[in-house]
Amino acid sequence: MTSNIVLAAILALGLVGWFAARSKARLLYTGRGSLHSMPGYHGWYVALWLIVPALIAWLVWQAIMPGLVESAILAQPIAAKLPTIDMDRAAVLSEAWNLARDPNASAFNPLATEFAEPLRDLQFRYAMIGGLLALVLAFAGGAYAFTRVRAGFPARTRTERTVMFLLLLASLVAILTTIGIVVSLLYETGLFFSQISPIDFLTGLHWAPKDAADGADFGAVPLFWGTIYIGAIIAMIVAIPLGLMSAIYLTQYATPTARKVLKPILEILAGIPTVVYGYFAALTVAPMVRDFAEMLGKDNPSTESALAAGLVMGVMIIPFVSSMADDSMAAVPQAMRDGSLAMGATESETIKKVLLPAALPGIVAGVMLAVSRAIGETMIVVMAAGASARLSADPFDSMTTVTYQIVQLLTGDQEFNSPKTLSAFALGLVLFVITLILNIVALRVVKRFREAYD
């Protein structure tokens, strides 16, 4: 609640500063060329000086405030009631924090109830201090910027540079996030490979992870095979033909009315939660696949199979292939189609010889995006494919994937220094490398054929 009030106050001050600076700049206008920048830029200059420093100070304070509150509570006489064991003390304080944030929450330890109210009071007190600090910085920044509002002041240049810097910071978020993911995966994977041989992990054929390295089998080949077989083979056999043919129909044969209705319906598939696909796979597709296997003469077929998961996964990623192919074919110049038809080619020949080759970069990009999406899927595999790490080419056998094993390894109370838990990070790193290679291949194909058709 306090955070919302502080943020609203900062934004309100920024709005007031914008109007005040713009009004002052308007009063300085005496004719054409009398102002270096338009009054609106002066308003934005002052507003940025009001908002940005205050927001930075408030965010920094929010980050350090829990530590300050906890140090303050430990300095009070009530801290003598806390357990001497660090783990028990942390558990009591954690429950007290939950009670301080939500008075209606329940606490397992009665001692946490005694600390909830002091924590709530200290949190409010430190929040007020941080809010006052942020508002003081807002006033100071606004006052400094307001004194700079003069006829010759380059407010436009300063404002645009500030906005450009903020946009640069925003663009760096994705890069820094990727770097953080890679560093964390490399570190944890290094700990895993210090206990387990990378050769055994990457070439082993039996997967039976245990907490201790002795007697455990960390051969991940069955997991990689299950991931590729379900997500990159079976799912693609379903998604590529159906997605590509639907894109061809929507761009070349469908009437405007039919396209207007069918395209949104097709793209709804991309917005359905994966858990719903999982239920559909487990309750509808998996029994049908089992019955089909029985009809073919397979003994005791299971309702969990790679085929059931792959079929539903393929349906799920049809919109990725279809939308990218649709947009790519729609972007092909009409002159290329008209030229082919003028030379005597039929419409189907034009599609095969002209349209598809010209739209190939977008089609390949859509396929690679769909593959990346498929190999990272978890819920469908959990509900329809099973948990057996099996190296088999029979689509009616139950299999598992890398993502399912990562969930299994990191679920529940786990020791993060055991090989069993650390193997999840090694699996995640391999999956990350696979998707990275797929994206690199897609970019190279797109670049090569785009140069040919530009």
Side-chain angles (χ1 to χ4, degrees):
M1 185 64 181
T2 307
S3 298
N4 295 334
I5 294 174
V6 173
L7 292 176
I10 292 173
L11 293 177
L13 285 174
L15 184 62
V16 171
W18 186 84
F19 279 108
R22 190 185 66 164
S23 300
K24 181 180 178 181
R26 282 180 172 180
L27 294 175
L28 295 174
Y29 181 76
T30 58
R32 185 174 182 180
S34 60
L35 282 178
H36 178 279
S37 304
M38 297 292 290
Y41 285 103
H42 289 275
W44 282 114
Y45 180 77
V46 173
L48 287 173
W49 267 101
L50 274 162
I51 295 173
V52 175
L55 282 180
I56 293 174
W58 178 246
L59 292 175
V60 172
W61 185 263
Q62 288 290 102
I64 66 174
M65 189 175 68
L68 297 175
V69 172
E70 191 164 321
S71 299
I73 197 70
L74 293 176
Q76 294 185 1
I78 195 176
K81 297 182 179 181
L82 287 171
T84 56
I85 302 176
D86 292 340
M87 185 177 298
D88 295 339
R89 176 183 296 183
V92 172
L93 290 176
S94 177
E95 289 192 41
W97 273 110
N98 291 334
L99 289 174
R101 297 187 186 99
D102 183 10
N104 296 323
S106 58
F108 176 77
N109 196 320
L111 188 58
T113 308
E114 299 183 33
F115 282 84
E117 191 62 32
L119 274 176
R120 191 180 297 112
D121 295 338
L122 286 171
Q123 189 176 16
F124 178 76
R125 185 186 308 170
Y126 278 94
M128 292 298 295
I129 294 173
L132 291 175
L133 177 62
L135 293 177
V136 168
L137 283 177
F139 277 112
Y144 166 77
F146 195 75
T147 60
R148 308 276 287 176
V149 179
R150 298 188 298 270
F153 181 70
R156 173 183 175 180
T157 304
R158 302 290 178 86
T159 301
E160 290 179 347
R161 287 179 180 175
T162 303
V163 172
M164 187 181 300
F165 178 73
L166 294 176
L167 293 175
L168 176 62
L169 289 180
S171 64
L172 289 176
V173 170
I175 299 174
L176 295 177
T177 302
T178 304
I179 293 174
I181 292 173
V182 173
V183 170
S184 62
L185 285 176
L186 288 174
Y187 176 75
E188 300 294 343
T189 303
L191 295 178
F192 172 71
F193 285 144
S194 66
Q195 304 177 52
I196 304 297
S197 170
I199 303 299
D200 294 341
F201 176 75
L202 295 173
T203 61
L205 302 180
H206 185 247
W207 177 259
K210 297 179 182 178
D211 291 330
D214 298 336
D217 291 324
F218 289 95
V221 171
L223 305 184
F224 302 144
W225 168 246
T227 302
I228 294 172
Y229 192 55
I230 296 174
I233 296 179
I234 299 177
M236 287 299 105
I237 291 175
V238 175
I240 293 177
L242 293 179
L244 194 56
M245 287 189 290
S246 62
I248 292 173
Y249 171 76
L250 290 174
T251 56
Q252 304 302 313
Y253 297 106
T255 63
T257 303
R259 175 181 171 84
K260 185 177 180 180
V261 173
L262 294 176
K263 187 173 174 62
I265 294 177
L266 181 63
E267 292 180 347
I268 285 176
L269 291 174
I272 298 176
T274 56
V275 67
V276 176
Y277 280 111
Y279 281 125
F280 176 67
L283 301 178
T284 304
V285 178
M288 294 174 60
V289 171
R290 180 197 58 199
D291 295 341
F292 181 67
E294 287 181 348
M295 186 179 66
L296 294 178
K298 185 175 177 62
D299 295 331
N300 298 321
S302 173
T303 53
E304 295 179 337
S305 65
L307 183 59
L311 289 175
V312 178
M313 200 178 295
V315 173
M316 179 189 69
I317 60 177
I318 285 175
F320 293 93
V321 179
S322 177
S323 294
M324 294 289 287
D326 188 332
D327 295 339
S328 299
M329 286 188 283
V332 175
Q334 185 64 35
M336 295 181 66
R337 311 181 207 189
D338 294 342
S340 175
L341 295 173
M343 294 291 292
T346 63
E347 191 167 1
S348 62
E349 290 174 335
T350 301
I351 293 172
K352 290 184 293 185
K353 303 290 186 179
V354 177
L355 189 63
L356 290 180
L360 188 60
I363 295 173
V364 171
V367 170
M368 292 301 176
L369 178 64
V371 172
S372 300
R373 177 68 181 84
I375 65 176
E377 174 54 35
T378 305
M379 290 307 301
I380 296 176
V381 178
V382 170
M383 296 185 176
S388 302
R390 182 174 294 152
L391 195 62
S392 171
D394 188 350
F396 298 108
D397 286 341
S398 62
M399 296 183 186
T400 190
T401 62
V402 170
T403 53
Y404 178 76
Q405 287 299 313
I406 291 174
V407 172
Q408 287 290 98
L409 294 169
L410 296 180
T411 301
D413 296 332
Q414 304 289 344
E415 295 182 2
F416 273 81
N417 57 352
S418 67
K420 179 181 177 181
T421 305
L422 291 174
S423 64
F425 296 95
L427 292 173
L429 181 63
V430 174
L431 194 64
F432 178 83
V433 171
I434 291 174
T435 55
L436 180 63
I437 292 173
L438 289 175
N439 286 315
I440 292 174
V441 171
L443 289 174
R444 290 185 66 86
V445 171
V446 169
K447 182 179 179 181
R448 176 182 176 184
F449 286 93
R450 179 173 294 168
E451 292 176 350
Y453 287 101
D454 279 348

